Amino acid sequence: MTEKKTQITTIWYLVMTSPSELIKKPLPDKGFEVRECSEKLFEYNRFLYEFVGRHWEWTDKLSWSEQQWQDYSESENLRTWVLYKSGSPAGYFELQKKSDGVIELAYFGLAKPFIGQGLGGGFLSNAIEEAWSWGASKVQVNTCSLDHPGALANYQARGFQIERTEECA
């Protein structure tokens, strides 16, 4: 009988407490455009979540009903931006405002064909700027060892500080 190994996942909770902490990086190519989804369409949020997240084991919302997706995506406290390249979605981020004014970078990621092109730092800079311009008292994000291997380093390079770390099986 062989024993099944339990994989330990590390989760890092990061915070930025002032806009002056942002270490901005521009997008490397002027052919990219970041646009907010002003019309809230839960089907598009679901598509983006699945499109970007399938490579990083984003599974927490896969079993959601249409009503759960609609309640989440069309909430007044959620805003969504998409990174486009020649009209095609290259990545997205969602900002969620909490009752205490904290804004969480709820989801952030690039579509697989756009990974490795030096877009992460510039796109993340844009997300952080949008959070502060929305009136954040602070900006939070978390990442884990299942995400892109460069995710934690990108967050830290933009000025986020680790607030706490957890390990779970």
Side-chain angles (χ1 to χ4, degrees), residues 148-168:
H148 185 278
L152 179 61
N154 189 22
Y155 291 125
Q156 291 178 304
R158 301 290 65 80
F160 279 102
Q161 300 294 316
I162 295 175
E163 192 171 47
R164 73 186 201 301
T165 303
E166 289 180 10
E167 290 189 347
C168 56

Side-chain angles (χ1 to χ4, degrees), residues 114-145:
F114 298 94
I115 293 171
Q117 296 184 26
L119 299 170
F123 190 40
L124 180 57
S125 293
N126 188 278
I128 297 165
E129 286 179 317
E130 291 294 350
W132 287 117
S133 72
W134 195 14
S137 59
K138 70 179 177 179
V139 181
Q140 296 177 317
V141 67
N142 66 59
T143 188
C144 73
S145 52

Side-chain angles (χ1 to χ4, degrees), residues 3-169:
E3 283 189 38
K4 189 176 184 180
K5 277 192 164 184
T6 303
Q7 181 179 347
I8 301 294
T9 302
T10 303
I11 304 168
W12 297 277
Y13 297 86
L14 300 105
V15 66
M16 187 178 289
T17 58
S18 167
S20 65
E21 295 172 353
L22 171 60
I23 303 165
K24 188 175 177 178
K25 184 175 181 181
L27 283 169
D29 183 314
K30 293 190 187 302
F32 287 92
E33 179 184 12
V34 180
R35 294 178 34 204
E36 183 174 6
C37 297
S38 298
E39 286 291 324
K40 294 178 178 261
L41 302 169
F42 75 89
E43 295 95 337
Y44 196 44
N45 285 73
R46 181 174 51 201
F47 162 77
L48 293 166
Y49 174 86
E50 292 174 0
F51 180 57
V52 171
R54 76 175 54 127
H55 304 290
W56 311 112
E57 297 190 42
W58 293 0
T59 58
D60 55 323
K61 292 179 174 55
L62 291 179
S63 63
W64 276 17
S65 69
E66 284 200 351
Q67 188 62 55
Q68 287 172 299
W69 271 106
Q70 188 169 14
D71 292 346
Y72 171 78
S73 302
E74 297 179 8
S75 166
E76 287 299 314
N77 70 340
L78 188 83
R79 293 171 68 188
T80 304
W81 281 261
V82 179
L83 174 67
Y84 292 96
K85 173 67 171 179
S86 302
S88 296
Y92 87 113
F93 65 86
E94 292 178 350
L95 298 177
Q96 190 168 36
K97 186 179 266 191
K98 299 179 181 184
S99 60
D100 58 1
V102 172
I103 294 183
E104 181 177 2
L105 180 53
Y107 288 95
F108 174 85
L110 296 170
K112 193 168 185 175
F114 298 94
I115 293 171
Q117 296 184 26
L119 299 170
F123 190 40
L124 180 57
S125 293
N126 188 278
I128 297 165
E129 286 179 317
E130 291 294 350
W132 287 117
S133 72
W134 195 14
S137 59
K138 70 179 177 179
V139 181
Q140 296 177 317
V141 67
N142 66 59
T143 188
C144 73
S145 52
L146 299 174
D147 281 339
H148 185 278
L152 179 61
N154 189 22
Y155 291 125
Q156 291 178 304
R158 301 290 65 80
F160 279 102
Q161 300 294 316
I162 295 175
E163 192 171 47
R164 73 186 201 301
T165 303
E166 289 180 10
E167 290 189 347
C168 56

